[in-house]
């Protein structure tokens, strides 16, 4: 587990927010579960919200970082959206709870997941996307306060502590995996031409989608976990 970088300010979010091909791919994987009363934890600048906004009837956003909360408050004004400048800890019951590239930033991840599961309605969905495979852990992960990366077995161990569930786990973005591995092995300074690297990766998402299909989601840069509360 990495030590927290106290100087971290979310500098990378703006680059990834512009990665529309990846965001759309991610949305297509989860859109069927985005219904009724939804909460997103750690929405950042709202890049995902812009894409899934039309699906749920009501949206609660929990953003504990003050400057990101203020950006959301400024840019998203609609009666179906409610903002909270705090960590997720709610007595409200939701049909869907989203953690998209957030859990890896949380030190006590098991506690967070168990708490979120308790806030689901019956037949509700907890949707989590995280960086995959600890062997890809790099200086980038450290610098943006990723405590860890995950594989399927990591989540299977976590989910053994949660009752009444139906779970689907799969990797996605195989090209992202290849690029991340190459970067870790061959590139000493990942920040050099960082924006160009993100643009290049995003331009190859079409190929990633194809490769994910023919490899049956055997590997990928990210892991998607969809948990259904059945009781």
């Amino acid at each position: 587990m990495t030590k927290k970088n106290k100087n971290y300010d979310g500098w990378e979010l703006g680059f990834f927010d512009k990665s529309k091909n990846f965001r759309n791919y991610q949305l297509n994987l989860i859109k069927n579960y985005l219904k009724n009363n939804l909460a997103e934890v750690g929405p950042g600048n709202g890049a995902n919200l812009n894409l899934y906004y039309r699906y749920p009837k009501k949206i609660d956003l929990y953003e504990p970082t003050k400057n990101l909360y203020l950006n959301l408050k400024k840019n998203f004004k609609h009666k179906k959206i409610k903002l909270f400048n705090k960590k997720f800890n709610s007595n409200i019951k939701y049909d869907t709870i989203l953690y998209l590239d957030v859990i890896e930033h949380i030190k006590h991840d098991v506690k967070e997941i168990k708490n979120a599961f308790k806030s689901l309605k019956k037949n509700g969905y907890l949707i989590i996307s995280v960086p995959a495979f600890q062997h890809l852990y790099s200086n980038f992960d450290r610098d943006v306060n990723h405590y860890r990366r995950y594989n399927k077995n990591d989540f299977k161990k976590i989910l053994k502590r949660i009752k009444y569930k139906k779970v689907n786990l799969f990797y996605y973005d195989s090209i992202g995996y290849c690029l991340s591995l190459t970067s870790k092995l061959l590139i000493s300074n990942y920040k050099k031409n960082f924006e160009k690297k993100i643009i290049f990766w995003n331009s190859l998402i079409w190929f990633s989608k194809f490769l994910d299909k023919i490899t049956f989601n055997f590997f990928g840069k990210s892991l998607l976990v969809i948990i259904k509360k059945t009781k």
Side-chain angles (χ1 to χ4, degrees), residues 7-24:
N7 296 319
Y8 172 66
D9 59 2
W11 61 268
E12 85 287 3
L13 292 178
F15 298 108
F16 286 100
D17 286 350
K18 296 175 184 178
S19 303
K20 296 291 180 66
N21 295 335
F22 175 75
R23 295 294 183 190
N24 281 314

Side-chain angles (χ1 to χ4, degrees), residues 45-63:
N45 293 313
N48 295 306
L49 176 61
N50 278 320
L51 297 176
Y52 72 71
Y53 172 82
R54 65 187 183 276
Y55 293 100
K57 293 179 180 178
K58 184 176 179 295
I59 301 169
D60 288 351
L61 303 177
Y62 293 83
E63 179 49 69

